[in-house]
Amino acid sequence: MDGTGWRPVKRTRTFEDVLAQIERRIAEDGLTVGDRLPAERHLAEQLGVSRSSVREAMRVLETLGVVSSQAGRGPDAGAVLTSRPDSALSDLLRLHLGLTGLEMREVIDTRHMIEQWAATRAATRAATVGAATTELAAALAGMDAAESPEEFVEHDTAFHCAIADASGNRLVAAIMRSLRDSMRKYSVEAVRRLGDTSVLRADHVRILDAIDGGDPEEAARAVSEHLAHAYPTLFR
């Protein structure tokens, strides 16, 4: 990345313009994971802003998992573009749950909508290109062997994330992982309240069979009824 294409920024909250221009250059230059941004000093000069504004923007990008800052000189200077979408989304969702009063019903409703779509798409793909259910079966076996609610939820999370993976949509898969990570403690509490996980296991088998059998309507129904069993007070 050279000095051409940068535009002087003028807003009061200068770092926001720095963020916007970095985003624009990433898109226009086709930058990908592993590419390096200019050093802090060069960015400040090219944008016509203070180094503190660039530094603040870089902190935001690093927190969001977009860049990884590395010390160095010459060609080794500057932040490197990275990719941690699951972690970044999980952190933001966790903050919303903890700080903004986001209700669990809102999270479950969102998960319900996304997972029904994912299961439908996974079953449709299975009917046309073959089932991709190895990870689902492995997660189901892990739940059977689980010795604690925490361990059960770990494999339960893997199962539902595998549904999203099987949909073939990477953004949906990232969002599902973020949703599950942000509500992990609530999932553990739900399993503890249920005590007996045999109903949940039967639900998982039903979902797996529907996807494996290429039946999108049954896959969607199975997901919906499973969430109703896991969170009965939210589906009344």
Side-chain angles (χ1 to χ4, degrees):
M1 296 176 66
D2 56 27
T4 62
W6 295 106
R7 304 168 187 166
V9 294
K10 300 177 181 179
R11 292 183 183 175
T12 302
R13 299 186 68 180
T14 309
F15 82 95
E16 293 179 346
D17 264 343
V18 175
L19 286 170
Q21 292 216 44
I22 290 174
E23 179 183 0
R24 178 177 62 83
R25 290 300 300 274
I26 289 173
E28 291 180 358
D29 295 355
L31 299 180
T32 59
V33 173
D35 288 336
R36 192 179 297 275
L37 294 174
E40 182 183 290
R41 178 173 62 82
H42 291 139
L43 264 179
E45 291 174 354
Q46 293 164 6
L47 292 168
V49 299
S50 68
R51 291 182 67 172
S52 64
S53 294
V54 173
R55 195 173 300 122
E56 188 173 2
M58 287 301 174
R59 286 197 190 103
V60 173
L61 291 172
E62 190 163 17
T63 299
L64 293 174
V66 176
V67 302
S68 174
S69 297
Q70 297 182 6
R73 294 180 179 276
D76 294 326
V80 175
L81 292 174
T82 185
S83 177
R84 295 189 295 113
D86 299 348
S87 176
L89 286 169
S90 295
D91 291 345
L92 290 173
L93 283 171
R94 199 174 299 114
L95 282 172
H96 276 293
L97 282 171
L99 299 175
T100 65
L102 192 64
E103 295 181 2
M104 183 52 56
R105 178 57 190 260
E106 296 173 286
V107 178
I108 297 299
D109 282 347
T110 302
R111 178 183 163 189
H112 185 202
M113 175 181 65
I114 290 173
E115 195 162 357
Q116 273 198 313
W117 181 91
T120 299
R121 180 60 64 91
T124 300
R125 294 181 78 214
T128 57
V129 300
T133 55
T134 301
E135 291 184 3
L136 288 167
L140 184 57
M143 282 182 274
D144 288 342
E147 297 180 354
S148 68
E150 290 79 6
E151 191 175 351
F152 181 90
V153 167
E154 178 184 349
H155 294 291
D156 176 70
T157 297
F159 182 91
H160 290 279
C161 289
I163 295 173
D165 288 337
S167 77
N169 187 305
R170 290 176 295 174
L171 182 56
V172 164
I175 292 172
M176 176 58 70
R177 283 185 170 78
S178 300
L179 286 170
R180 290 307 308 262
D181 285 347
S182 67
M183 59 182 289
R184 187 177 300 275
K185 71 174 183 178
Y186 302 99
S187 299
V188 171
E189 290 171 2
V191 170
R192 285 202 180 106
R193 283 195 301 271
L194 287 171
D196 182 6
T197 58
S198 60
V199 172
L200 300 184
R201 188 194 185 283
D203 288 343
H204 289 130
V205 171
R206 181 184 172 191
I207 294 168
L208 173 57
D209 287 345
I211 292 175
D212 200 30
D215 188 340
E217 292 184 0
E218 169 63 6
R221 280 194 300 269
V223 163
S224 184
E225 292 179 20
H226 168 62
L227 289 176
H229 291 154
Y231 302 95
T233 60
L234 299 178
F235 279 81
R236 288 176 180 170

